[in-house]
Amino acid sequence: METATDVNVQAKPVAAERRAAVAEAIAKIREIETEKGVNRESLEEIRQIMVDLAKRRELFPRDVFKSRGDRPDDRIYRLSEDDGHRFALYINCGEPGTKTPPHDHTTWAVIAGIDGEEHQWIYRRTDDGSQPGVGSVEVDHEFTVVPGTAIAYMPDDIHAINVRGDVPALHLHLYGSGFEEMQGRIAFDVDAGTYKKFPGYPEVMDDPGDG
């Protein structure tokens, strides 16, 4: 007969296994960036590593990585980050209805699906960028991040997010630099044809271990 103690013993290795899997993935990604730089081709290799990591759904249980429950915004958990705030990996938990305006990141990024639907609008900028605060964008294409898929972005790519469906999105977000380093990123007001500084996330939580 399985006891509560037995269940706890079985659950404890999950956090350790997650840390090992994340460390292995980041080591491969770090090597790719060092050897090949940041370009579409190298990001495609990184994207596939992130797809493989996200497929290991047992490492990212919902009872450990929880959304806010009653608020249509994100809760962010930091899984890994190098010294100097490089190679920052987060779990992004967002309730249905969570959305962002079109924005850039100032660093490369990969978003990989564990559970739920995170719809992406990918924009192209249509002005010449010569006037501070003035910026027009239009949708170039769309993509929905779901389990088994991922999308990669160059530092100046522009996208917007909307969590769809009936369950909170649970996705991996990997950035070349952590949120603390994204001081220059901007968000666009499509209707007004303007942009302004896009503030950092107000709350980033550490990996809670086994909860």
Side-chain angles (χ1 to χ4, degrees), residues 79-97:
L79 297 182
S80 179
E81 188 170 337
D82 281 11
D83 293 340
H85 304 294
R86 295 294 328 281
F87 302 100
L89 177 61
Y90 306 91
I91 280 192
N92 191 324
C93 309
E95 287 290 314

Side-chain angles (χ1 to χ4, degrees), residues 18-206:
R18 178 170 62 249
R19 286 192 293 270
V22 165
E24 181 180 3
I26 294 297
K28 293 177 182 177
I29 290 165
R30 192 185 298 114
E31 183 176 350
I32 291 170
E33 195 211 57
T34 299
E35 292 183 356
K36 301 183 178 182
V38 178
N39 51 62
R40 298 290 182 190
E41 291 73 22
S42 61
L43 285 183
E44 174 57 25
E45 294 185 43
I46 293 171
R47 188 194 69 81
Q48 187 56 59
I49 291 172
M50 292 300 297
V51 167
D52 292 342
L53 179 61
K55 284 181 178 179
R56 300 185 63 181
R57 298 175 65 177
E58 74 281 0
L59 299 181
F60 312 105
R62 280 195 178 274
D63 61 344
V64 172
F65 297 103
K66 301 172 183 177
S67 64
R68 295 182 183 274
D70 59 349
R71 291 169 50 181
D73 56 7
D74 294 340
R75 173 169 282 171
I76 308 294
Y77 297 87
R78 182 187 289 107
L79 297 182
S80 179
E81 188 170 337
D82 281 11
D83 293 340
H85 304 294
R86 295 294 328 281
F87 302 100
L89 177 61
Y90 306 91
I91 280 192
N92 191 324
C93 309
E95 287 290 314
T98 300
K99 61 180 63 177
T100 68
H103 62 278
D104 64 8
H105 290 115
T106 70
T107 186
W108 59 264
V110 177
I111 301 172
I114 300 172
D115 195 14
E117 301 179 16
E118 189 174 289
H119 190 73
Q120 313 269 322
W121 290 271
I122 298 88
Y123 291 80
R124 58 175 172 267
R125 190 163 178 175
T126 56
D127 70 298
D128 62 8
S130 61
Q131 295 180 263
V134 175
S136 57
V137 294
E138 62 183 20
V139 174
D140 183 80
H141 60 284
E142 301 180 32
F143 182 85
T144 301
V145 178
V146 295
T149 69
I151 190 168
Y153 292 107
M154 292 287 284
D156 58 351
D157 286 344
I158 300 165
H159 77 139
I161 289 173
N162 181 206
V163 176
R164 294 180 172 178
D166 299 324
V167 299
L170 188 66
H171 290 165
L172 295 175
H173 284 224
L174 173 68
Y175 300 97
S177 298
F179 288 129
E180 296 88 345
E181 303 301 302
M182 300 184 201
Q183 299 300 317
R185 65 180 184 160
I186 56 176
F188 293 83
D189 184 322
V190 176
D191 293 333
T194 59
Y195 70 83
K196 61 183 179 180
K197 182 178 179 180
F198 192 39
Y201 288 90
E203 179 183 18
V204 176
M205 306 172 68
D206 289 328

